[in-house]
Every structure is written in C-alpha cells, then in structure tokens.
C-alpha cells in the first residue's frame, strides 16, 4: 500500500473521532490530520478534499478545519482492518455465552416463584370455596329442618351468614365484629354501605334487632361501621326475640 494511502486512512480514522471538526494540518503542538502540506501527507490531504472524504468547515489564519463526510466513512469501512472489530465482536459473543447459564438460572427462579405464588393463590381460593360450600350446605339443612324463616330464600348469602352468626351468639354483637366475621367467612367483596343497607333490610323484615348507641354501650372503636337511621346511631345487632 502506498504511503499516501496509509496516511489517508489514518487521517479519516482520526477525523471520525472529531465530528465537531479538526484541523487539516498539524501546527506545532496543535492536533491535525496531516503533518505537512507537501510530500505524501500533503498529497493525501488534497486527495481527501477532492474525493469528498473530508469537507472544509472554516478557514482561520490559513488554518483549515475539516470533518469526515459520509463518503469518507464509507472509504474508511472499506480499508480498515476488520480483525480488531471481529475480535471485539468475538469477545462480546463469548461474554454473552458465559452469561447464558446465569440468565437461565434467573428465569428458572422467576418461574418457580410464579408457580409458588399461583399455588398459594389457588389454595386460598380453594379454602374459601370449601368454606362457602360448607356454610351453604348448612343453611340448606337448616331450611329443610325449619330452623330458619322462609324469608331467607330471598336473602343475599352474606345476610344468611349474619343470621347464622347471631344464632350462635346470645348477646348482641357489635357491627364491626359482624363485618369482620363476614370477611373471614369469604365475603371480601362486601362494602360497608351494602353491609349497612342489608342489615336494615333484615331489621325491616323482622329477622334482627339493631342496638342503638347509649351511655352503656359507648362509641364504637371503628365508627365507620356504625349504622345511622332515623336520627339514631346503631352500633350492634342481635336476633329478633
């Protein structure tokens, strides 16, 4: 390869590192692409400009500033030794190959965690369904035995659960305790407004009695569950006598 071609390749490579521009010729300690305006260096500089590998940005005090063009980038790709690039690529590929077992281990761990969460969820849902089935069967048996009034046929399942709960408790039960018992029984979608409205329906149908707040009962620790109707505040409930 002729000397001026080598200088041209080196200059284009250097120019690729300075997209903002670099001096065409070195002056003293100031960096530049070519060391002289004559000889092989000067010949290579003139050829780079004429071939469009470098473009002139500005001239200040006879010092030209140039930058690499897209045509120069193409020239550089054609003449650069591909071995360093291929060696760098090979190194990256080997690093990725070595990382594969770690990636597979991480994926396996994530799948295992997902399976465990899914099994726990299904077990919880299964337990909830089993509890609801058991309670529903108990209600049906009570209906067949005549231990519940026929009005329960039109009640929501959670209202039937309230009646069953009150049957087991001789004393009035505070409303927060009733609501939390329903949550434990699986009625987690029940809202406080629906709970309060449903209790009023049970009262109006004569199935339960609501206990109003008094100096003996005192305020609820969880007042959001208190039921207000006709200017009275109800804090507890019991079966109708």
């Amino acid at each position: 390869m002729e000397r001026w071609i080598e200088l041209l390749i080196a200059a284009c490579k250097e120019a690729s590192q300075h997209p903002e521009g670099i001096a065409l010729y070195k002056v003293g300690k100031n960096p530049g692409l070519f060391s002289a305006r004559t000889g092989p260096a000067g010949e290579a500089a003139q050829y780079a400009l004429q071939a469009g590998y470098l473009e002139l940005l500005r001239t200040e005090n006879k010092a030209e500033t140039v930058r690499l063009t897209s045509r120069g980038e193409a020239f550089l790709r054609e003449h650069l030794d591909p071995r360093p690039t291929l060696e760098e690529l090979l190194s990256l590929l080997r690093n990725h190959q070595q990382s594969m077992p770690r990636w597979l281990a991480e994926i396996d761990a994530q799948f295992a965690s997902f399976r465990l969460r899914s099994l726990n969820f299904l077990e919880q849902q299964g337990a909830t369904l089993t509890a609801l089935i058991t309670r529903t069967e108990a209600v049906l048996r009570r209906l067949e035995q005549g231990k519940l009034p026929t009005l329960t046929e039109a009640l929501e399942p959670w209202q039937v659960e309230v009646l069953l709960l009150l049957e087991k408790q001789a004393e009035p039960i505070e409303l927060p305790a009733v609501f939390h018992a329903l949550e434990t029984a699986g009625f987690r979608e029940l809202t406080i407004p629906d709970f309060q409205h449903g209790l009023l329906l049970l009262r109006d149908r004569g199935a339960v009695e609501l206990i109003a707040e008094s100096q003996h009962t005192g305020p609820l620790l969880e007042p959001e569950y208190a039921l207000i109707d006709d200017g009275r505040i109800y804090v507890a409930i019991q079966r109708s006598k």
Side-chain angles (χ1 to χ4, degrees), residues 4 43-45 95 97 145 149 158 161 176 180 196 202 216 223 225 228:
W4 71 274
E43 185 179 346
N95 289 336
Q97 184 183 44
Q145 297 169 3
W158 71 265
E161 182 69 23
H180 295 319
Q196 295 169 334
L202 289 177
H216 302 292
Y225 295 100
I228 302 176

Side-chain angles (χ1 to χ4, degrees), residues 145-203:
Q145 297 169 3
K147 294 183 178 181
L148 288 178
T150 56
L151 61 83
T152 56
E153 295 177 5
L155 296 180
E156 295 287 340
W158 71 265
Q159 292 174 304
V160 176
E161 182 69 23
V162 170
L163 297 180
L164 294 174
L165 177 65
L166 294 177
E167 275 195 350
K168 302 174 185 177
Q169 182 73 32
E171 299 297 326
I173 306 177
E174 290 189 342
L175 298 184
V178 175
F179 188 87
H180 295 319
L182 290 173
E183 288 183 318
T184 302
F187 299 100
R188 296 184 179 85
E189 302 299 324
L190 181 64
T191 64
I192 294 178
D194 288 341
F195 170 68
Q196 295 169 334
H197 178 68
L199 294 185
L200 288 176
L201 290 178
L202 289 177
R203 182 202 62 180

Side-chain angles (χ1 to χ4, degrees), residues 53-94:
Y53 298 159
L54 300 174
E55 63 177 346
L56 184 63
L57 293 180
R58 58 185 176 274
T59 301
E60 297 178 358
N61 298 325
K62 297 183 179 181
E64 300 98 335
T65 299
V66 297
R67 68 180 173 191
L68 190 67
T69 64
S70 57
R71 191 170 181 180
E73 292 175 353
F75 168 80
L76 190 59
R77 286 194 298 270
E78 291 176 1
H79 290 81
L80 277 179
D81 184 355
R83 282 177 299 179
T85 301
L86 292 175
E87 289 173 354
E88 181 179 359
L89 176 61
L90 180 60
S91 177
L92 289 174
L93 292 175
R94 284 174 174 168

Side-chain angles (χ1 to χ4, degrees), residues 109-123:
Q110 291 175 3
F111 273 121
S113 177
F114 174 76
R115 285 195 297 269
L116 181 60
R117 291 197 303 270
S118 299
L119 289 174
N120 290 337
F121 174 77
L122 291 175
E123 288 176 358

Side-chain angles (χ1 to χ4, degrees), residues 95-106:
N95 289 336
H96 284 305
Q97 184 183 44
Q98 293 173 359
S99 301
M100 286 297 292
R102 177 173 55 82
W103 293 345
L104 291 174
E106 291 176 354

